[in-house]
Amino acid sequence: MDGNDCKLEKDVSEIDLDVHLTSKLKEKHISIQNSLRDLEGLAEQNEGEKKPCPLCPEETFKPCLTNKLLKHLQNLHWKVSVEFEDYRMCICCLPCMQQKPSQDKEGVPPKTACHYHCSICSATISRRTEMISHVKRHATKGETDGKYSPGHFQKTLKELNTHVQVSPNFKTPQKTDTFFNPKMKVNRQLIFCALVVLAKERKPIECLDAFGSTGIMGLQWAKHLGKSVKVTINDISESSVAMIRDNCLLNNMKVLTKKKDDEEEENEVGEDSGAAVEVTQYDANVLMHLRAFDFIHLDPFGTSVNYLDAAFRNVRNLGIVSVTSTDTGSLFAKTLNVAKRHYGCNIVRTEYYKELAARIILASVARAAARCGKGIEVLLSVAVEHFVLVVVRVLRGATQTDESVQKINTLIHCQWCEERIFQKEGNMVQENPYKNLPCDCQKSMQGNSAVVLGPMWSGSLFNTGFLRRMMSESVEHEMDDLHPLLKTLICEAECTPLKQFSLQPNQANQEESGVLIKVPDTTDYSADPGKRKRQDISKAISKRLKNEAPVEHPPFYYSIHRHSIRGLNIPKLNKFLQYLSEEGFKVSRTHFDPTGIRTNASLATFKTILEKNSTISNTSQASNVVQTAESRGQDLLTEEAMTVCDTK
């Protein structure tokens, strides 16, 4: 190779780099440039002898000759610019940011303030020192340009034998379209196990990850389930779709790409084309209206109520819809007005706020399904610190729809003792709703002591048989991190202590809720099985669901520390479960609260048994307890004497 060829290759590489940088600059503010030559090029775009400054309003800097304008750009805008990576953030004097009008001079329009535009988060900052500190914070967090560009990765992550490449600021959803949260691993594993259970009921199934982002979830489905599933990964962002395509090729999968306006498919084949993934770039509502699926997973950034109607529009009968909600601020009763706006329900902060969040989402899901003439069967409900996950099975028919709607009721909650009970069904106005509560706080306290919460889901939150099959699949796929949570969920669904938990691997696939299940044929129906075959499979599954009577667990739970008595040492949690069980009550722990106990005992009975089995901490506190009890008794006697005197 001679010197001319080397020089030619160098020129071509420089041209490609310039094209790449200019394409990225098109999406940024005009004050963010790569070089002084690019900044001067903005001034040369205007025709005429006198040209205006592209970064100053005409009232501040009038149009002038080219030589004067170039000196102005170099001595003002470029000289005080802030450099970060390949960009220069020049000072901008355009009316993007205005100063606050002074109170002394009324009627005077606010002045335009000079400022900088951040190349990462598009923030507007007035001072240069503050802009430098802002940029340093981005560098400390490892955040760079939020847009995806092929070949510019800093991290490759692995989860469930699936590799994905992510952008450097993948943990910040506001700064990048390709968001990846490692803390949501449990969520992805639960959804994977639910999909495996559905895939063993009928084959093949069409599943959709409506918000793919990096594509990690859909890639796990395709890699471990193979031809038994037809995976579609969708995202509206162009950068996310490009990353999903590259991650598919990284895992040696066949890529079928469909864009918004193109009807043709573009195929890219990896080393092993056994598993195929279809990548689409649509709005999630549009895609779910256009096509039918057996399994749909919704995981938007924030609330998911905007996508429920489209999800139930074309989902097939006996299919599964899983919804992940991350708007915990409104669901956990931190922003009450947002919960009212999104979910149409009244909530307050309670000791059982996590279960309340799951029931609120299920009510929205049931209403969306009913609008499409479908009912739901709740298979799984999980609420932890970062998300709330609900998994439901879709049941077509007017009878199933009416049964689901009837399970949406309001809740009466006592604000003094936190006793709660679902309001009775019926359209008649109750004379005294406080009579429904088992407590007598309304008699002993003045004023209103209870609030009405909801409407919310009042039915069961779990399906024991489905959870047991999920447990079997997690053991088969070696998901050891998921076993403790699934064990707690199974015991919570059956309302039994964890010590009585038992899993029989040999019968896990044949027995569900005590009913013998005929396992579907394992033949690969890669071709269309035909209408007759699909009807037979649907009838077999629906027959199993009718025979499968779900165990109704008690609604809500009590926190043992919340209702402890001052001056007494409460027993250990497992020991107290034994005391409640000996009294003849159903009892289990709950995953919603590590100190919570799910039981069918009333709160008064719960407190009585807790006080009976608690011990006094020391003698001094014992004397205080006795003195307070005696003083309370004396106060009651004096009150009775006063009332007698008044009557006389």
Side-chain angles (χ1 to χ4, degrees), residues 338-564:
V338 179
K340 181 73 173 179
R341 188 166 64 244
H342 288 169
Y343 300 96
C345 64
N346 298 317
I347 58 174
V348 294
R349 185 77 171 191
T350 62
E351 63 173 336
Y352 51 93
Y353 65 94
K354 289 187 178 180
E355 182 172 346
L356 205 65
R359 292 185 180 275
I360 289 171
I361 296 175
L362 286 172
S364 300
V365 170
R367 285 193 293 264
R371 285 191 289 269
C372 300
K374 298 168 185 175
I376 63 170
E377 178 196 8
V378 182
L379 303 176
L380 171 67
S381 301
V382 176
V384 293
E385 182 181 359
H386 308 288
F387 65 91
V388 181
L389 170 67
V390 295
V391 181
V392 300
R393 190 188 293 272
V394 181
L395 306 174
R396 284 187 179 178
T399 304
Q400 290 81 358
T401 304
D402 295 338
E403 290 177 356
S404 298
V405 174
Q406 288 176 359
K407 294 180 180 179
I408 302 177
N409 297 317
T410 55
L411 183 77
I412 303 177
H413 170 80
C414 179
Q415 292 184 303
W416 291 102
C417 65
E418 296 212 14
E419 181 64 285
R420 76 292 301 215
I421 190 170
F422 281 108
Q423 201 164 3
K424 295 180 180 179
E425 297 181 3
N427 299 325
M428 303 300 295
V429 179
Q430 296 184 6
E431 183 178 356
N432 188 7
Y434 293 101
K435 294 181 180 179
N436 296 329
L437 286 170
C439 65
D440 56 349
C441 296
Q442 175 64 19
K443 299 178 182 179
S444 59
M445 304 290 180
Q446 295 182 355
N448 298 326
S449 60
V451 293
V452 178
L453 306 181
M456 65 185 69
W457 180 260
S458 62
S460 177
L461 297 178
F462 313 99
N463 186 298
T464 310
F466 192 85
L467 288 173
R468 286 191 173 274
R469 289 194 284 165
M470 285 180 61
M471 182 70 185
S472 176
E473 299 301 334
S474 66
V475 173
E476 182 179 348
H477 290 85
E478 299 179 355
M479 298 180 182
D480 298 335
D481 300 338
L482 197 60
H483 295 168
L485 177 59
L486 285 176
K487 288 180 182 179
T488 306
L489 291 174
I490 294 173
C491 293
E492 189 175 359
E494 298 176 347
C495 205
T496 57
L498 192 61
K499 292 182 179 180
Q500 301 180 9
F501 174 80
S502 63
L503 179 64
Q504 301 176 359
N506 296 331
Q507 299 180 1
N509 290 333
Q510 287 80 19
E511 188 173 352
E512 184 169 321
S513 298
V515 179
L516 191 64
I517 302 172
K518 183 178 179 181
V519 181
D521 188 11
T522 57
T523 309
D524 184 12
Y525 301 108
S526 57
D528 188 9
K531 185 176 181 181
R532 187 71 171 268
K533 187 67 178 179
R534 287 191 176 275
Q535 289 179 352
D536 295 341
I537 296 174
S538 300
K539 287 180 180 179
I541 299 173
S542 60
K543 186 176 180 181
R544 175 179 61 78
L545 293 174
K546 289 180 181 179
N547 296 332
E548 196 178 273
V551 180
E552 288 291 339
H553 56 80
F556 301 111
Y557 52 89
Y558 303 109
S559 175
I560 187 173
H561 291 287
R562 184 86 173 219
H563 301 287
S564 61

Side-chain angles (χ1 to χ4, degrees), residues 61 189 218 245 247 299 324 421-422 438 463 504 603 615 641:
F61 188 85
Q189 289 179 343
R245 289 164 57 96
N247 286 333
D299 186 9
T324 300
I421 190 170
F422 281 108
N463 186 298
Q504 301 176 359
L603 182 58
T615 58

